[in-house]
Amino acid sequence: MDNEAVKQKYGITKRIAVMLQVQMCLVGLGMVITLYGVTQSTDSVSRMAVYLMQAIICAAILIFGLFLFKKKDVRIFKSVVILYAALEAVRCALLRTGGVDAWSAILARLLLVGLACCAAVLAEHLGEEKYNSLGYLIVFQETALYLVFTLGFPGVETRLLHKILPLAGVLIAASIVLFCEAKVQQAKYLGQDLEVNADEEK
């Protein structure tokens, strides 16, 4: 399918469409890894709760991308972003920092708080192009958080699973950025406003 055909069918460029397809595959992989993490976390209720929320978000992203992307209404996607903000808040509250250097513990909590706040603001302004930069900030913070976990948390350094699992957060953040960019592009091409709130539908 050429670029013009993709634009007519989905309202986005072929480049964005290909990136979304690749991202869907990566998020699917992230969900499989996360579900494996759930099975390996029976000794920790808090870790299992975080992984379950992460798996639900991955599943929601896949459902939105595969079945609901063409719809004008993005309230379901807004719910995904809000759930992601809640996930980061829960991760911050349940983060264990015993035996971790002070700089790693403090930086990890600051990044988690920043992620929750940025995601909450982005959810409120979903579909507004000027707020898409928050998505890129979220990706940057998730990447920085992954590096902090990898370099500063002993449990992550010694176990391959714990080293891979935080990557799911980076994939989720990247998906949010792509969807935000794609929905704005779609609205511009189709000449319509995105429906975010229930009141706007009336």
Side-chain angles (χ1 to χ4, degrees), residues 15-16 74 77 121-137 176-189 192-194 196:
R15 181 179 65 86
I16 293 290
V74 294
F77 183 50
V121 174
L122 181 62
E124 284 301 310
H125 296 279
L126 208 60
E128 298 179 37
E129 186 174 9
K130 65 180 180 180
Y131 284 94
N132 281 359
S133 57
L134 280 176
Y136 292 98
L137 179 58
I176 289 172
V177 169
L178 280 175
F179 278 131
C180 286
E181 292 286 356
K183 293 306 287 186
V184 168
Q185 188 178 100
Q186 186 182 61
K188 283 183 176 180
Y189 180 78
Q192 59 189 19
D193 295 325
L194 297 175
V196 179

Side-chain angles (χ1 to χ4, degrees), residues 27-166:
V27 170
L29 178 61
M31 185 172 71
V32 171
I33 294 171
T34 301
L35 288 174
Y36 179 72
V38 171
T39 64
Q40 299 298 307
S41 303
T42 53
D43 59 332
S44 174
V45 176
S46 60
R47 192 181 297 125
M48 183 179 290
V50 169
Y51 293 160
L52 280 172
M53 287 184 68
Q54 193 165 276
I56 290 170
I57 292 172
C58 288
I61 288 174
L62 289 173
I63 291 170
F64 180 82
L66 295 173
F67 304 109
L68 303 173
F69 177 76
K70 288 178 67 176
K71 292 183 178 293
K72 179 181 174 183
D73 192 338
V74 294
R75 282 174 289 172
I76 293 177
F77 183 50
K78 180 178 180 179
S79 299
V80 173
V81 179
I82 291 173
L83 184 59
Y84 170 73
L87 168 65
E88 301 300 6
V90 170
R91 287 174 75 188
C92 183
L94 300 179
L95 182 65
R96 295 180 180 179
T97 56
V100 177
D101 291 339
W103 73 267
S104 299
I106 293 171
L107 189 54
R109 289 193 186 279
L110 286 175
L111 286 169
L112 286 168
V113 170
L115 283 164
C117 293
C118 286
V121 174
L122 181 62
E124 284 301 310
H125 296 279
L126 208 60
E128 298 179 37
E129 186 174 9
K130 65 180 180 180
Y131 284 94
N132 281 359
S133 57
L134 280 176
Y136 292 98
L137 179 58
I138 288 172
V139 173
F140 172 79
Q141 290 179 104
E142 276 286 6
T143 305
L145 183 64
Y146 174 74
L147 292 175
V148 170
F149 280 150
T150 302
L151 300 175
F153 282 67
V156 177
E157 291 177 357
T158 56
R159 295 191 61 183
L160 179 61
L161 178 63
H162 290 169
K163 189 175 292 188
I164 294 174
L165 276 166

